[in-house]
């Protein structure tokens, strides 16, 4: 058997970062920045008011309370050149440009709210409630470096520096194909010996959660020729393909039967539980990466977290590294087979504890749904007592 680390290393050596693509801001969420973004102008571009109130000279309100004439109003977006002289004030709105001569803003709450004249009840130091030009970003500053994941805040910054389009590493397009003569689409009635297909739904959700675009390609029965036809039809829209089922050691394994003769996909027994039968390689003229995962629901999901998720991150331009873990303390003893790395389902608590779920079978999907973490037990460990410190993959 191969080790988990060797299998993952081979995968990450094969996976290539997706070519950059220029997209509109509305399509950039969840992508990774492929260019350095700088500010063409200072942010804010001019001195402006941080509050609704009155633009004043600080020395004119030093002996507050005082009553002063209001000579004009300044709204946000007002492009007029404005100025105040000694003993004068202007009513000003949040975001409006500060008039020349003013060096402070008095919040309206400190006044009687007058429009022709205003009583100001409190003094303020120079600079009060003013946003200075360049206070956030100076012209030419790097606001987002290459490799930044683009979330809502990053989209806001891109728009704030005037960008309408941006160069990104796109979200990987992932096609999921489930195999098995026993599988039936959810919503249809079950016949004898049949089960509802669930793996593709869980895998598509995991793809999207990991930053990819997921597409279900439906169910293929245990027929190698039909599987190859389906695979060929899907390669045009795929950056990566995931199959589930058809890779074990028995008869009627269509994925292994179809891909084995190509010589570009390697099938291995990996020293892990669940998820021992694994396959990985490339297919098609464009050498599209393909993961052939086992068919048991928990095995398929665990395999995704351990192998596919790091590959998707690399394709999207993020660091090529194993799925991150945290440390936790077990609330019960654990057992693991010798020579295999176990991924036990558990519930990670707020106090840094992890409680193993009772059912650990690779087919027990409901137990997986009740878990929020995978407890990692190393290959050389067969028993851990209650209170042991362990690595945990949060789900």
């Amino acid at each position: 058997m191969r080790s988990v680390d060797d299998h993952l290393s081979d995968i990450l050596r094969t996976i290539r970062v997706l070519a950059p693509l220029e997209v509109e801001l509305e399509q950039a969420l969840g992508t990774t920045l492929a260019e350095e973004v700088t500010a063409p102008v200072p942010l804010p571009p001019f001195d402006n008011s941080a509050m609704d109130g009155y633009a004043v000279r600080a020395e004119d309100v030093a002996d507050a309370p005082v009553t002063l004439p209001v000579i004009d109003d300044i709204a946000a977006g007002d492009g007029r050149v404005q100025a105040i002289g000694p003993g004068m004030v202007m009513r000003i709105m949040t975001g409006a440009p500060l008039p020349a001569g003013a060096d402070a803003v008095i919040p309206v709450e400190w006044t009687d709210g007058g429009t022709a004249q205003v009583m100001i009840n409190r003094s303020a130091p120079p600079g009060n409630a003013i946003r200075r030009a360049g206070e956030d970003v100076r012209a030419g500053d790097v606001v987002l470096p290459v490799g930044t994941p683009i979330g809502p805040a990053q989209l806001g910054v891109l728009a704030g520096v005037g960008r309408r389009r941006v160069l990104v590493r796109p979200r990987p397009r992932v096609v999921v194909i489930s195999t098995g003569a026993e599988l039936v689409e959810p919503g249809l009635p079950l016949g004898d010996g049949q089960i509802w297909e669930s793996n593709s739904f869980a895998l598509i959700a995991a793809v999207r959660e990991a930053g990819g675009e997921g597409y279900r390609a439906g169910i293929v029965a245990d027929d190698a020729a039909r599987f190859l036809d389906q695979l060929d039809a899907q390669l045009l829209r795929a950056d990566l393909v995931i199959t589930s089922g058809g890779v074990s050691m028995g008869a009627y394994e269509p994925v292994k039967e179809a891909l084995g003769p190509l010589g570009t996909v390697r099938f291995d027994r990996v020293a892990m539980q669940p998820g021992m039968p694994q396959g990985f390689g490339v297919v098609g003229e464009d050498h599209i990466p393909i993961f052939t995962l086992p068919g048991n629901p928990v095995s398929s999901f665990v395999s995704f977290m351990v192998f596919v998720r790091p590959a998707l991150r690399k394709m999207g331009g993020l660091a090529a590294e194993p799925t991150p873990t945290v440390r936790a303390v077990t609330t019960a003893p654990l057992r693991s087979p010798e020579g295999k790395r176990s991924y036990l389902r558990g519930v990670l608590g707020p106090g840094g504890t992890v409680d193993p779920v009772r059912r650990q079978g690779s087919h027990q999907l409901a137990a997986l749904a009740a878990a929020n973490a995978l407890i990692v037990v190393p290959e050389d460990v067969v028993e851990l007592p209650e209170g042991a410190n362990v690595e945990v993959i949060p789900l």
Side-chain angles (χ1 to χ4, degrees):
M1 288 189 290
R2 303 189 75 203
S3 73
V4 171
D5 295 335
D6 284 348
H7 190 61
L8 179 59
S9 294
D10 280 354
I11 289 167
L12 294 180
R13 276 195 296 269
T14 302
I15 293 292
R16 297 290 177 260
V17 180
L18 294 179
L21 179 68
E22 190 175 57
V23 299
E24 298 280 341
L25 285 192
E26 288 85 352
Q27 281 76 53
L29 182 67
T31 64
T32 305
L33 194 61
E35 63 172 316
E36 185 178 79
V37 176
T38 59
V41 298
L43 294 181
F46 50 84
D47 292 351
N48 67 89
S49 177
M51 308 182 74
D52 292 339
Y54 297 84
V56 304
R57 300 190 327 153
E59 62 186 271
D60 291 338
V61 298
D63 297 325
V66 296
T67 299
L68 298 171
V70 179
I71 64 170
D72 206 345
D73 287 353
I74 312 174
D78 193 330
R80 297 175 296 162
V81 177
Q82 301 274 54
I84 63 169
M88 304 174 184
V89 307
M90 287 186 179
R91 195 163 62 150
I92 193 167
M93 308 308 153
T94 302
L98 195 70
D103 62 0
V105 171
I106 301 296
V108 69
E109 293 85 0
W110 298 1
T111 75
D112 65 356
T115 56
Q117 63 178 24
V118 62
M119 175 177 284
I120 295 173
N121 299 311
R122 291 173 58 179
S123 63
N128 189 68
I130 294 174
R131 303 165 177 157
R132 294 296 184 188
E135 184 179 281
D136 187 15
V137 176
R138 297 169 299 176
D141 280 356
V142 175
V143 294
L144 294 173
V146 174
T148 300
I150 299 179
Q154 291 72 33
L155 276 175
V157 169
L158 289 166
V161 297
R163 297 296 295 267
R164 185 61 191 158
R165 297 176 65 84
V166 63
L167 193 67
V168 300
R169 305 286 179 182
R171 293 161 64 96
R173 299 168 303 163
V174 182
V175 170
V176 177
I177 304 173
S178 291
T179 67
E182 77 280 14
L183 302 179
V184 176
E185 286 285 345
L188 297 179
L190 292 178
D192 292 340
Q194 292 183 322
I195 60 172
W196 284 301
E197 196 276 316
S198 62
N199 285 2
S200 66
F201 291 92
L203 290 170
I204 288 296
V207 165
R208 292 171 180 164
E209 195 172 63
E213 297 284 355
Y215 305 97
R216 286 186 72 238
I219 301 167
V220 178
D222 293 333
D223 184 299
R226 288 181 59 191
F227 170 78
L228 277 179
D229 288 344
Q230 178 70 292
L231 178 61
D232 288 341
Q234 297 298 325
L235 289 181
L236 288 175
R237 65 167 176 172
D239 297 311
L240 184 148
V241 175
I242 302 172
T243 70
S244 93
V247 294
S248 295
M249 303 301 292
Y252 307 109
E253 303 295 348
V255 175
K256 185 182 288 188
E257 182 183 341
L259 300 181
L262 300 181
T264 59
V265 179
R266 173 173 172 170
F267 295 93
D268 288 296
R269 295 167 69 238
V270 177
M272 62 186 292
Q273 184 174 295
M276 184 175 66
Q278 296 286 336
F280 173 76
V282 295
V283 290
E285 293 181 0
D286 295 327
H287 302 285
I288 303 299
I290 184 167
F291 288 83
T292 66
L293 307 184
N296 277 323
V298 179
S299 302
S300 178
F301 180 78
V302 169
S303 300
F304 178 93
M305 294 299 297
V306 176
F307 300 123
V308 186
R309 189 175 185 275
L312 288 178
R313 287 180 55 83
K314 181 177 179 181
M315 293 182 81
L318 300 174
E321 58 189 15
T323 299
T325 62
V326 298
R327 303 295 296 185
V329 175
T330 63
T331 62
L334 302 175
R335 296 187 62 83
S336 176
E338 186 175 1
K340 289 185 180 180
R341 187 178 303 181
S342 286
Y343 296 89
L344 306 175
R345 277 66 73 202
V347 177
L348 190 61
T353 60
V354 63
D355 185 19
V357 300
R358 292 179 57 193
R359 292 165 293 161
Q360 294 289 341
S362 61
H363 62 292
Q364 291 174 313
L365 190 55
L368 175 63
N372 66 4
L374 299 175
I375 306 167
V376 184
V377 182
E379 292 87 341
D380 58 350
V381 175
V382 294
E383 281 188 83
L384 284 171
E386 179 183 340
N389 201 279
V390 291
E391 278 189 290
V392 174
I393 299 174
L395 300 179

